[in-house]
Amino acid sequence: MTGQPHPTDAQQYLPGMGKHWLLPLYDPFSRLAGVGRIHGQLMDRANLRPGQRILEIGCGTGNLLTALGRRLRDTDALGIDPDPAALRRARRKAARSGLPIRYEQAFAGALPLPDDSVDRVLSAFMLHHLDDDERIRALREVRRVLRRGGELHLLDIDGTPSGRGGGMAHRNARVAASLPERVLAALGDAGLTGVASNGGGKAWFGRFAFYRAEAA
């Protein structure tokens, strides 16, 4: 089984800030929200080592892979995202930092990689952007490209209602649907093993959660 990338002009996607014209605000927002610190926690959990081949799905403007490249120089890192404007920013960051990170335009549901070719897949604040069908396609693609024993390390918004009496659901339907039990079920349904929650935390934009899974 091999993946074929969707033509990006035929499939819709949700930009990182929700609107294309808000992209220039993405990096300032990330800095103010402390996303770099949260990315560091994701990398701490991922058991990253020199020589691994690492894929980030939904890489956006490249903040996570730029931080990874500075932390661990001897890696083969690839980021994919459907947004060409975000990828241009990511490539500029890599060039300025002298990092050999590659970026390709693609959807997570059709990864442009062969079977059993990646040691680690990372994802940060992307999964809740996908509807149910695209989420399962993306996670099955993750399973396909991971080598035996390879790992997925996932970070996403935790949409669990807070407050007394169970709290109120989020106004954003995608965030409200981003519940740990649903994420864990989707990971298992995609054929990944060792599925587990891996901690979490809270920032001013809300709660977030870490997950891990393996390719059997």
Side-chain angles (χ1 to χ4, degrees):
M1 178 180 176
T2 56
Q4 295 296 326
H6 292 299
T8 52
D9 58 352
Q11 183 175 348
Q12 299 296 315
Y13 62 90
L14 185 66
M17 290 291 290
K19 303 287 185 181
H20 290 285
W21 62 271
L22 290 174
L23 181 63
L25 300 178
Y26 184 87
D27 286 344
F29 172 84
S30 295
R31 287 192 293 270
L32 287 172
V35 173
R37 173 184 56 84
I38 303 170
H39 282 169
Q41 295 176 35
L42 177 63
M43 290 187 286
D44 290 343
R45 288 164 164 78
N47 191 27
L48 302 172
R49 298 188 300 273
Q52 289 177 329
R53 190 175 194 194
I54 298 169
L55 168 69
E56 183 188 1
I57 55 174
C59 63
T61 62
N63 292 327
L64 174 58
L65 288 187
T66 299
L68 186 153
R70 290 168 175 163
R71 175 187 286 210
L72 196 66
R73 290 272 173 171
D74 186 18
T75 55
D76 178 6
L78 168 67
I80 67 102
D81 198 281
D83 188 342
L87 291 172
R88 285 193 292 271
R89 290 173 179 263
R91 292 182 183 116
R92 286 198 294 268
K93 289 176 187 175
R96 286 197 300 266
S97 301
L99 299 172
I101 302 168
R102 295 175 293 115
Y103 292 100
E104 294 187 25
Q105 187 179 9
F107 285 90
L111 296 173
L113 291 168
D115 298 1
D116 309 315
S117 59
V118 175
D119 298 295
R120 295 288 184 274
V121 176
L122 306 178
S123 175
F125 296 118
M126 184 278 287
L127 198 68
H128 71 280
H129 285 194
L130 307 181
D131 63 27
D132 290 344
D133 290 341
E134 186 62 19
R135 181 174 61 233
I136 195 64
R137 281 196 294 270
L139 294 175
R140 285 174 177 165
E141 279 290 88
V142 167
R143 181 199 61 188
R144 180 183 66 79
V145 303
L146 275 172
R147 291 172 176 150
R148 185 176 181 86
E151 300 174 6
L152 165 67
H153 289 269
L154 172 68
L155 158 66
D156 204 12
I157 290 173
D158 180 350
T160 303
S162 59
R164 295 180 180 178
M168 296 180 61
H170 289 269
R171 294 179 181 177
N172 185 297
R174 291 180 184 267
V175 173
S178 184
L179 302 173
E181 57 268 28
R182 295 190 65 178
V183 175
L184 293 169
L187 293 169
D189 290 345
L192 293 158
T193 62
V195 173
S197 296
N198 202 16
K202 188 174 182 180
W204 64 263
F205 58 82
R207 290 191 290 185
F208 55 89
F210 299 97
Y211 309 90
R212 70 176 304 280
E214 299 176 5

